[in-house]
Amino acid sequence: MKKESLEDVINDLRSRRDCLSLAHEEIKRQSDNYNKVIIILSLVTGCVESLKIQMGWNNNAAAMIPIFMSSIIGMISALCKFQDYPQKMELLVQAISLLTATLLKARNHSELDDELLQEYHSSLQANETSLYPDIRKKYLKDAHKNLLCIMKQEQIYYENIKKVNAGEKLTIKCDSSSDTSSENVIINEKKEIELEEDAEMDTSAHRREKLETINELHDNL
């Protein structure tokens, strides 16, 4: 789709950068899972070796356990190396950096010029060469959905800000630390102060009336 305005270019750069960020996040998660499994198996192997020494296990079964564990660790390490996670993440980081720099320049421009278009096309090239088409489609779809949800939430937020500034009563649902929803009523701060002052005045007047009644009873006695 041809981008004919600066706003279109900015939105497209945002979505493509988020697409690469989501892909990087998934690749890092997979790499971390491999590394966690290797660390756990290595610790278990060391624990077995220590138990063998302390307990004096010299049978064939005990001797085979460390060999079996080391073989599993080697297989997992080979699979992790075969996936080439560091190279993939490095390629994505470079593409994300280029998209971020182009996005910053686009935001600082007031109109779409030839220089910005050239950098935009370079960013598109980096985005298209850093991921396979089917993978890019998946993460670009997620990025579009996330951006639309963010924009929707921003609209709701600014509409509510206008209502609060206008003194309207606003009821929202807030998530607490216990993952339960509670309703909080947001009222204009000025009105809250006025209500507090009125309450204090009513309390003071009530106290004065009570004090006068006590004095009258005392005089009568």
Side-chain angles (χ1 to χ4, degrees):
M1 181 178 177
K2 187 177 180 181
K3 307 299 184 295
E4 298 180 350
S5 66
L6 182 62
E7 191 67 24
D8 290 339
V9 170
I10 291 175
N11 289 331
D12 190 48
L13 288 171
R14 286 179 64 191
S15 62
R16 293 181 182 274
R17 183 194 59 180
D18 290 353
C19 164
L20 297 183
S21 297
L22 291 172
H24 183 275
E25 181 184 11
E26 177 62 22
I27 292 174
K28 186 177 183 303
R29 185 188 65 81
Q30 294 176 6
S31 177
D32 290 344
N33 289 338
Y34 272 108
N35 292 327
K36 288 175 184 178
V37 172
I38 292 172
I39 291 172
I40 292 172
L41 291 178
S42 299
L43 293 174
V44 171
T45 303
C47 180
V48 171
E49 290 286 356
S50 299
L51 288 174
K52 280 178 58 181
I53 296 173
Q54 294 295 328
M55 302 298 293
W57 295 340
N58 296 321
N59 53 44
N60 293 332
M64 290 295 295
I65 292 176
I67 299 174
F68 179 73
M69 297 292 291
S70 298
S71 300
I72 294 178
I73 293 173
M75 286 188 294
I76 295 175
S77 300
L79 288 173
C80 183
K81 186 176 181 181
F82 177 77
Q83 295 292 337
D84 199 13
Y85 289 122
Q87 181 66 25
K88 291 178 180 178
M89 288 191 289
E90 180 64 24
L91 182 63
L92 288 173
V93 167
Q94 292 176 0
I96 290 171
S97 299
L98 179 59
L99 284 165
T100 302
T102 307
L103 177 60
L104 178 61
K105 182 169 288 188
R107 285 171 170 168
N108 291 330
H109 274 61
S110 57
E111 59 182 9
L112 189 61
D113 53 23
D114 293 337
E115 181 184 358
L116 184 58
L117 271 177
Q118 184 177 0
E119 295 194 17
Y120 169 67
H121 293 155
S122 299
S123 300
L124 291 182
Q125 182 69 20
N127 174 261
E128 292 168 356
T129 56
S130 58
L131 291 173
Y132 290 113
D134 56 336
I135 300 176
R136 187 170 71 250
K137 179 185 71 173
K138 172 187 174 184
Y139 291 115
L140 191 59
K141 181 179 179 181
D142 292 339
H144 287 160
K145 182 179 179 181
N146 289 338
L147 284 174
L148 289 174
C149 290
I150 291 172
M151 292 177 182
K152 179 181 177 182
Q153 185 59 38
E154 285 181 350
Q155 286 182 341
I156 295 173
Y157 170 73
Y158 286 114
E159 288 174 0
N160 289 335
I161 288 294
K162 290 180 182 179
K163 292 179 181 179
V164 172
N165 291 334
E168 297 182 20
K169 186 176 180 180
L170 179 66
T171 302
I172 62 173
K173 290 184 178 181
C174 298
D175 294 334
S176 63
S177 57
S178 60
D179 295 333
T180 58
S181 297
S182 60
E183 291 193 355
N184 297 328
V185 178
I186 302 177
I187 305 175
N188 186 278
E189 184 178 356
K190 183 177 179 181
K191 287 194 172 184
E192 286 185 348
I193 295 174
E194 292 176 353
L195 290 173
E196 291 178 358
E197 291 177 352
D198 293 340
E200 290 178 358
M201 292 176 63
D202 292 341
T203 304
S204 300
H206 180 70
R207 288 177 179 175
R208 285 197 301 269
E209 292 177 358
K210 187 174 181 180
L211 183 60
E212 290 176 357
T213 303
I214 293 174
N215 291 331
E216 290 178 358
L217 292 174
H218 181 71
D219 294 340
N220 293 332
L221 292 175

